[in-house]
Amino acid sequence: MNPWNVLFPFQKYMKNFTAGTEGKDMESFMSNMFNNWQKSGYNNQANTNNTSSFFEQQSSDYEETVNPIDASVFETHTDVYVRIPIQDRSSMQNMKIYHTSNTSIVEGYPTKEDRHVLTLPSIVKKKGATAQYRDGTLEIRLAKATDLQYSEINVTEL
């Protein structure tokens, strides 16, 4: 006697399933099921232009938002710098700059609707950030945070 029969509550349904397929033609059962599924509605959806145009639009949106502002991010021992080349100083009028502990967010550049999230290489402080525009480059300086909170992890032998 199989000990799992007691714990398996669907035993009576399994008898009907195996009696219909007899256990040896499972491959033909699965291929028939997939063929019926493909004939029913999957081909109708795949042949429409709505799905292909949707995926093309999604991929083109992703390509545009990867880093169209051509920002460079680097760190020193004490600070993290974000440099954004800006040719026209008047295009900075609608720009807003935010930051979290590990990202910098630039909104309103080059157009009002644009939003760019730049990942920072290390954790930065909440206060003390500065931004300067000089020689066609906007330079944002963020002070690094020193995280002195650490926990010990016990190593046990197996």
Side-chain angles (χ1 to χ4, degrees), residues 67-123:
N67 195 358
I69 58 174
D70 195 32
S72 61
V73 180
F74 62 93
E75 65 179 317
T76 62
H77 291 295
T78 57
D79 299 314
V80 174
Y81 289 91
V82 178
R83 287 188 177 163
I84 304 170
I86 298 175
Q87 301 303 323
D88 186 18
R89 188 179 182 138
S90 64
S91 63
M92 291 179 16
Q93 281 182 325
N94 297 322
M95 181 187 289
K96 292 186 180 185
I97 303 168
Y98 307 99
H99 76 90
T100 64
S101 61
N102 63 347
T103 59
S104 179
I105 302 153
V106 178
E107 290 183 351
Y109 178 78
T111 64
K112 277 186 173 183
E113 297 82 26
D114 287 341
R115 181 174 193 243
H116 309 283
V117 178
L118 306 169
T119 304
L120 302 176
S122 67
I123 305 294

Side-chain angles (χ1 to χ4, degrees), residues 14-157:
M14 288 301 292
K15 289 178 185 175
N16 293 338
F17 179 74
T18 56
T21 60
E22 296 178 4
K24 56 186 170 187
D25 60 343
M26 180 59 77
E27 186 174 337
S28 63
F29 172 75
M30 293 300 289
S31 64
N32 288 337
M33 185 181 72
F34 281 117
N35 287 336
N36 291 337
W37 173 67
Q38 288 177 346
K39 289 177 185 175
S40 66
Y42 178 71
N43 287 337
N44 294 339
Q45 290 178 351
N47 290 335
T48 61
N49 291 333
N50 293 339
T51 56
S52 61
S53 64
F54 173 75
F55 289 120
E56 288 171 3
Q57 179 183 1
Q58 291 296 325
S59 64
S60 66
D61 288 347
Y62 177 73
E63 291 170 1
E64 291 174 0
T65 59
V66 169
N67 195 358
I69 58 174
D70 195 32
S72 61
V73 180
F74 62 93
E75 65 179 317
T76 62
H77 291 295
T78 57
D79 299 314
V80 174
Y81 289 91
V82 178
R83 287 188 177 163
I84 304 170
I86 298 175
Q87 301 303 323
D88 186 18
R89 188 179 182 138
S90 64
S91 63
M92 291 179 16
Q93 281 182 325
N94 297 322
M95 181 187 289
K96 292 186 180 185
I97 303 168
Y98 307 99
H99 76 90
T100 64
S101 61
N102 63 347
T103 59
S104 179
I105 302 153
V106 178
E107 290 183 351
Y109 178 78
T111 64
K112 277 186 173 183
E113 297 82 26
D114 287 341
R115 181 174 193 243
H116 309 283
V117 178
L118 306 169
T119 304
L120 302 176
S122 67
I123 305 294
V124 295
K125 293 180 181 179
K126 284 184 176 183
K127 303 288 183 185
T130 60
Q132 288 184 335
Y133 179 77
R134 183 178 21 189
D135 298 329
T137 303
L138 176 66
E139 183 179 87
I140 304 164
R141 184 185 63 82
L142 305 156
K144 279 186 173 181
T146 54
D147 189 12
L148 298 177
Q149 299 178 6
Y150 57 92
S151 303
E152 181 181 357
I153 301 172
N154 292 328
V155 178
T156 59
E157 188 174 328

